[in-house]
Amino acid sequence: MTNKQTKRKAGRPRNEAAREAVLEAAYKIVMSDGVGRLTIERVALEAGVGKPTIYRSWANAQELAMAAFMAQPEDEFKSPKGSGMHRIRAHLRSVIKTFSTPRGRQITLTLASAEQESELGKAFRNQVILKSRETGRKLLEHAIESGSVTTSLDIETALDMLYGPVFFRLLVGHNKLNLELADTIVETLFDGIALSD
Amino acid sequence: MTNKQTKRKAGRPRNEAAREAVLEAAYKIVMSDGVGRLTIERVALEAGVGKPTIYRSWANAQELAMAAFMAQPEDEFKSPKGSGMHRIRAHLRSVIKTFSTPRGRQITLTLASAEQESELGKAFRNQVILKSRETGRKLLEHAIESGSVTTSLDIETALDMLYGPVFFRLLVGHNKLNLELADTIVETLFDGIALSD
Amino acid sequence: MTNKQTKRKAGRPRNEAAREAVLEAAYKIVMSDGVGRLTIERVALEAGVGKPTIYRSWANAQELAMAAFMAQPEDEFKSPKGSGMHRIRAHLRSVIKTFSTPRGRQITLTLASAEQESELGKAFRNQVILKSRETGRKLLEHAIESGSVTTSLDIETALDMLYGPVFFRLLVGHNKLNLELADTIVETLFDGIALSD
Amino acid sequence: MTNKQTKRKAGRPRNEAAREAVLEAAYKIVMSDGVGRLTIERVALEAGVGKPTIYRSWANAQELAMAAFMAQPEDEFKSPKGSGMHRIRAHLRSVIKTFSTPRGRQITLTLASAEQESELGKAFRNQVILKSRETGRKLLEHAIESGSVTTSLDIETALDMLYGPVFFRLLVGHNKLNLELADTIVETLFDGIALSD
DNA sequence: ATATAAACGAGACGGTACGTCCCGTCTTTCG
DNA sequence: CGAAAGACGGGACGTACCGTCTCGTTTATAT
């Protein structure tokens, strides 16, 4: 079987070293000064690269910010052993730990200021924001399949009730974001609020 | 001679008409082109006002955007009659209806891009984002006081589990934001996810 | 008679110091590195001025170059005493002396690269290139009026035959440009080329 | 097998078709948009040629412009029969006719903006600008040799007094450039300006 | 009545960054 | 091995806004 690779395009190929330098510089700027201070000009300067080289790969500073986050992936989210509820609690804790860092704050700001519909915007959403959600989905599905969840359940909504409060607090800042929140969310979600009527 | 009022300052007083023209122009721009297109220069032009007149009242475009939203208040959130659960469901529906409009999307973007700690930022958060949350808190508290909630409950977390999913979907756009979501959230929250173990 | 001065325009007036700094910096650059090296960016930097401040007054680098020359006027052209022919010869010598300098070379280059029809272009042409021609015209007219010229004469053409060769050599560089040229031009012009037929 | 020709260089020979396409595209651009709009990039695009292919033959856009003019030669200048003065007048008319076209204007601008000392610059000057001057020189020399010119004459200066006014008007644009100018120049040159003193 | 004070519109200021064009060079693949 | 294709680092373009600063004018209160 011959290697019918995608036909190589003519012309000089993109400089991978330049690409990496750009992403690294962008990440450094975002982490130290915030997304709002990320300018193409500054990245070009600090990466030792021409501006057009950046614009050739990314349409604007927001896209570059998203690409920078995607190029610097965080640790995997753990999904430890134990009963469904315990595993989900541990997972949510690790999500909170990840997003309550400066990196998490900047990711949220980037998400908020970016175009939702661009190709890169979708990729960013899926890889950076929703990757953990997929882990959570697997935990929930596993719990259902193993028969430990006895009620019918809208998984999508349940997932949003797990992660939504976290990002809500991160974005609005009306309440602290700490690990105890994971416990309370999971407890409330699983126990429900019993009503007498 | 009593002078109950705060001593009137010397000089020409602020022009209330100018203030209104500015807020109106700003609101129009935000609603038609988005927060990102709101520039002081453009507001000055469209409001027929000098730039310093704007800077005299607001520190930057973000503050002006927030002020514009606060000056154009939305309808009140209804808290209709009925049992606790029904009232909360109806309330959450009205919140979703309010924030799934273009106005809601822009408010969320404004929130995300604004300084959290400024005075105006806090006011915006409380008046525009969290006003509905206070309504929800009253409904929850009333349910507890009236004895219909029989489990112990962390109200803050419960509230975030009501509103968090809404803003999460609004911000990330991974799932549709419709009125059925209110039903599912409330059901899931009150029933809980029964576990066999 | 009351001073019915032109109504002062509203707004902050132009900064005369900035204007002068720009023209001075531009002149310095043109004289040291040539018109081709005159960039708005560099002028802004060396004059300690923002780019828009320059663009507010001049449309592009060519206009700025012309303005810089006009703001740094050369010495007046002498029109010494003596018979018409001698005075014209002396005048042409001073023109050659003026334009065979680096400044003269740069003026010619500027002229060639500039838009002829712009308002500033016309002013530059009249003030910098053709000012000497007006002096020459007066000398010729005076000679005619005083009766020393006995033939009919197309003054415009005669003037171009005086100055044309100078700029032709300056531009094309096929022959040296020295003071003797003035003598030869004037002699040839006044004596004519006698023909036997 | 004899090899009469200059030793053929190794490797693929220059593509003559490419060379022609480049010169043609350059000429088209210069004639339609002016020398100022001639960029290597644009020529490469319009000629369907790589940029390095152009740089292999010409050092910059000015050289290319000059080469383009030289590759598109104008009609020969006529030197008709008749007495010296008539022949020179007719010749000067044809020069004016040639240079008062858009092509003539662009040639002058190209000349003015180009480096005088480059090899191509000299060639351009001699072939395009001064070719006619050589014709004029022959006419003047013939007149002298045939004895019809009775005064001593500096031929170089006389030539510059013929062509100088034409290019002066072309460059500066202060007076119209029409065929009558030829008549007046020749008349003035040959009759001289008689003085009473 | 008349200063005096402050806000007004207008608009220029020194700056920063934008996104684009073109420079002249370099690197890769194709013919 | 030259030519096309096209990316590279770099420089400058001309524009949009920033937030600040004069201006001359208008509108109040305080003398």
Side-chain angles (χ1 to χ4, degrees):
Chain A
M1 165 183 149
T2 53
N3 186 353
K4 216 194 282 184
Q5 218 178 296
T6 316
K7 180 71 166 301
R8 179 77 132 74
K9 278 214 313 239
R12 180 176 175 173
R14 294 275 172 91
N15 182 348
E16 191 55 34
R19 177 186 180 84
E20 282 166 18
V22 165
L23 289 173
E24 202 174 318
Y27 190 73
K28 227 170 89 187
I29 291 169
V30 168
M31 291 313 291
S32 63
D33 294 19
V35 208
R37 292 295 170 81
L38 183 76
T39 66
I40 300 292
E41 206 127 271
R42 187 170 164 194
V43 173
L45 186 70
E46 298 192 9
V49 144
K51 277 203 290 175
T53 298
I54 300 179
Y55 280 109
R56 227 168 269 129
S57 296
W58 301 279
N60 49 50
Q62 289 85 47
E63 288 215 350
L64 178 53
M66 296 192 290
F69 280 120
M70 287 191 277
Q72 304 273 347
E74 197 67 15
D75 303 335
E76 294 300 309
F77 297 102
K78 303 295 192 317
S79 49
K81 302 291 176 188
S83 79
M85 194 172 129
H86 287 108
R87 292 177 70 182
I88 288 171
R89 175 161 58 204
H91 166 67
L92 194 54
R93 282 184 176 213
S94 90
V95 169
I96 290 177
K97 202 187 286 177
T98 295
F99 280 97
S100 58
T101 57
R103 176 184 156 101
R105 170 77 186 149
Q106 293 305 326
I107 284 176
T108 311
L109 288 180
T110 300
L111 173 71
S113 62
E115 300 243 352
Q116 284 190 351
E117 293 314 313
S118 72
E119 216 50 48
L120 225 161
K122 287 180 198 162
F124 177 70
R125 191 177 71 192
N126 292 330
Q127 289 179 34
V128 180
I129 307 289
L130 300 182
K131 200 179 68 176
S132 61
R133 204 170 175 276
E134 289 314 300
T135 305
R137 179 198 305 279
K138 270 173 207 135
L139 294 180
L140 272 188
E141 282 171 349
H142 180 263
I144 291 170
E145 280 162 16
S146 70
S148 51
V149 171
T150 56
T151 50
S152 78
L153 180 61
D154 184 320
I155 290 185
E156 290 300 315
T157 302
L159 287 169
D160 289 340
M161 290 176 75
L162 283 172
Y163 303 102
V166 173
F167 287 94
F168 191 37
R169 291 197 175 185
L170 194 57
L171 186 65
V172 182
H174 58 296
N175 269 329
K176 272 182 296 188
L177 189 61
N178 51 32
L179 296 183
E180 285 72 40
L181 177 62
D183 305 1
T184 323
I185 289 173
V186 171
E187 264 175 51
T188 308
L189 184 61
F190 281 82
D191 290 357
I193 301 170
L195 296 177
S196 59
D197 57 353
Chain B
M1 161 191 123
T2 54
N3 187 349
K4 287 182 294 187
Q5 270 192 251
T6 318
K7 180 74 165 301
R8 180 74 131 79
K9 283 219 308 255
R12 179 175 176 176
R14 294 275 173 91
N15 182 348
E16 190 54 35
R19 177 187 179 83
E20 282 166 18
V22 166
L23 289 172
E24 202 174 319
Y27 189 72
K28 226 169 90 187
I29 291 169
V30 168
M31 292 312 291
S32 63
D33 293 20
V35 209
R37 294 299 172 84
L38 183 76
T39 67
I40 300 292
E41 205 123 272
R42 187 169 164 194
V43 172
L45 186 70
E46 296 192 9
V49 144
K51 281 201 291 173
T53 300
I54 299 179
Y55 280 108
R56 227 168 271 128
S57 297
W58 301 278
N60 50 49
Q62 289 85 46
E63 290 216 347
L64 178 53
M66 296 191 290
F69 280 119
M70 287 190 276
Q72 304 272 349
E74 197 68 13
D75 304 334
E76 293 299 310
F77 297 101
K78 302 296 190 322
S79 49
K81 303 290 176 188
S83 77
M85 193 173 130
H86 287 108
R87 292 178 71 182
I88 288 173
R89 174 161 59 207
H91 166 68
L92 195 54
R93 281 185 176 213
S94 89
V95 169
I96 290 177
K97 202 187 283 176
T98 294
F99 280 96
S100 59
T101 57
R103 177 185 156 102
R105 169 79 186 148
Q106 293 305 327
I107 284 177
T108 311
L109 288 180
T110 300
L111 172 71
S113 62
E115 299 243 354
Q116 286 189 350
E117 292 314 312
S118 72
E119 217 51 48
L120 225 162
K122 288 180 197 160
F124 176 71
R125 192 176 70 193
N126 293 331
Q127 288 179 35
V128 179
I129 307 288
L130 300 181
K131 199 180 69 178
S132 61
R133 203 169 177 277
E134 289 314 300
T135 305
R137 180 198 303 280
K138 270 173 205 136
L139 293 180
L140 272 188
E141 281 172 350
H142 181 263
I144 291 171
E145 281 161 15
S146 69
S148 52
V149 171
T150 56
T151 50
S152 77
L153 181 62
D154 183 319
I155 291 186
E156 290 300 315
T157 302
L159 287 169
D160 290 340
M161 290 176 76
L162 284 172
Y163 302 101
V166 173
F167 286 94
F168 190 39
R169 290 197 177 185
L170 193 57
L171 188 65
V172 181
H174 57 296
N175 269 329
K176 271 182 294 186
L177 190 60
N178 50 32
L179 297 183
E180 284 72 39
L181 177 63
D183 305 1
T184 321
I185 289 173
V186 171
E187 263 175 52
T188 307
L189 185 62
F190 280 84
D191 291 358
I193 300 169
L195 297 176
S196 59
D197 56 353
Chain C
M1 167 183 146
T2 54
N3 187 353
K4 214 196 281 183
Q5 216 179 298
T6 317
K7 181 69 169 302
R8 177 77 133 72
K9 280 217 314 246
R12 180 176 176 174
R14 296 273 172 93
N15 181 349
E16 190 55 35
R19 178 187 178 82
E20 282 165 20
V22 167
L23 289 173
E24 203 173 318
Y27 190 73
K28 227 170 87 187
I29 292 169
V30 169
M31 291 313 291
S32 64
D33 292 19
V35 209
R37 293 295 170 81
L38 183 76
T39 67
I40 300 291
E41 206 127 271
R42 186 170 162 194
V43 172
L45 186 70
E46 297 192 9
V49 143
K51 278 203 291 175
T53 298
I54 300 180
Y55 280 109
R56 227 168 268 128
S57 296
W58 301 279
N60 48 50
Q62 290 85 48
E63 289 215 350
L64 178 53
M66 297 192 289
F69 280 120
M70 288 190 277
Q72 304 274 347
E74 198 66 15
D75 304 334
E76 293 299 308
F77 297 102
K78 303 295 190 320
S79 48
K81 300 291 176 191
S83 76
M85 197 172 127
H86 288 108
R87 294 177 69 182
I88 289 172
R89 177 162 55 206
H91 166 67
L92 195 55
R93 282 184 178 214
S94 91
V95 169
I96 290 177
K97 203 187 285 178
T98 295
F99 279 97
S100 58
T101 58
R103 177 184 154 102
R105 170 76 187 150
Q106 293 305 326
I107 284 176
T108 311
L109 287 180
T110 301
L111 173 71
S113 63
E115 299 243 353
Q116 284 190 351
E117 293 314 312
S118 73
E119 217 51 48
L120 225 162
K122 287 179 197 162
F124 177 70
R125 191 176 70 193
N126 293 330
Q127 289 178 33
V128 179
I129 308 287
L130 301 181
K131 199 180 69 177
S132 60
R133 204 171 175 275
E134 290 313 301
T135 305
R137 179 197 305 280
K138 270 173 206 138
L139 293 180
L140 271 189
E141 283 171 349
H142 179 262
I144 291 171
E145 281 162 16
S146 70
S148 50
V149 171
T150 55
T151 50
S152 77
L153 181 62
D154 185 318
I155 291 186
E156 290 299 315
T157 303
L159 286 169
D160 289 341
M161 290 176 75
L162 284 172
Y163 303 100
V166 174
F167 285 94
F168 191 38
R169 289 197 178 185
L170 194 58
L171 187 64
V172 181
H174 57 297
N175 270 329
K176 272 182 295 187
L177 189 61
N178 51 32
L179 297 183
E180 284 72 39
L181 178 63
D183 305 1
T184 322
I185 289 174
V186 171
E187 263 175 52
T188 307
L189 185 61
F190 281 84
D191 292 355
I193 301 170
L195 296 177
S196 58
D197 55 354
Chain D
M1 163 186 143
T2 54
N3 188 349
K4 287 182 290 185
Q5 274 192 250
T6 318
K7 179 73 166 303
R8 181 75 132 70
K9 285 219 305 258
R12 181 172 171 177
R14 294 275 173 87
N15 183 347
E16 189 55 33
R19 177 186 178 84
E20 282 165 21
V22 166
L23 289 173
E24 202 174 320
Y27 189 72
K28 226 170 90 186
I29 291 169
V30 169
M31 293 311 292
S32 63
D33 292 19
V35 208
R37 294 298 172 83
L38 182 77
T39 66
I40 300 293
E41 204 124 86
R42 187 169 162 194
V43 173
L45 186 70
E46 297 191 10
V49 143
K51 282 202 290 173
T53 300
I54 299 179
Y55 279 108
R56 228 168 270 127
S57 297
W58 301 278
N60 49 50
Q62 289 85 46
E63 291 216 348
L64 178 52
M66 297 192 288
F69 280 121
M70 288 190 277
Q72 304 271 347
E74 197 68 15
D75 303 335
E76 294 300 309
F77 296 103
K78 303 296 190 317
S79 47
K81 301 291 177 190
S83 77
M85 194 173 129
H86 287 107
R87 292 177 71 181
I88 289 173
R89 176 162 56 205
H91 166 67
L92 194 54
R93 281 186 178 212
S94 90
V95 169
I96 289 177
K97 202 187 285 177
T98 295
F99 280 97
S100 58
T101 57
R103 176 185 155 101
R105 169 82 187 146
Q106 292 305 326
I107 284 176
T108 311
L109 289 180
T110 301
L111 172 71
S113 62
E115 299 244 353
Q116 286 188 351
E117 294 314 311
S118 73
E119 217 51 48
L120 225 163
K122 287 179 197 162
F124 177 70
R125 192 175 70 192
N126 293 330
Q127 288 179 34
V128 180
I129 307 287
L130 300 182
K131 199 179 67 179
S132 60
R133 203 168 176 277
E134 289 313 302
T135 305
R137 180 197 304 280
K138 272 173 203 137
L139 294 180
L140 270 189
E141 282 172 350
H142 180 263
I144 291 170
E145 281 163 16
S146 69
S148 50
V149 170
T150 55
T151 50
S152 78
L153 181 62
D154 185 319
I155 291 187
E156 291 300 315
T157 304
L159 287 169
D160 289 341
M161 289 176 76
L162 284 172
Y163 303 101
V166 174
F167 287 94
F168 190 38
R169 290 197 176 185
L170 195 57
L171 187 64
V172 181
H174 57 296
N175 269 329
K176 271 181 297 188
L177 190 61
N178 51 31
L179 296 183
E180 284 73 38
L181 178 62
D183 305 1
T184 321
I185 288 174
V186 171
E187 265 174 51
T188 307
L189 185 62
F190 282 82
D191 291 357
I193 301 169
L195 296 177
S196 59
D197 56 355

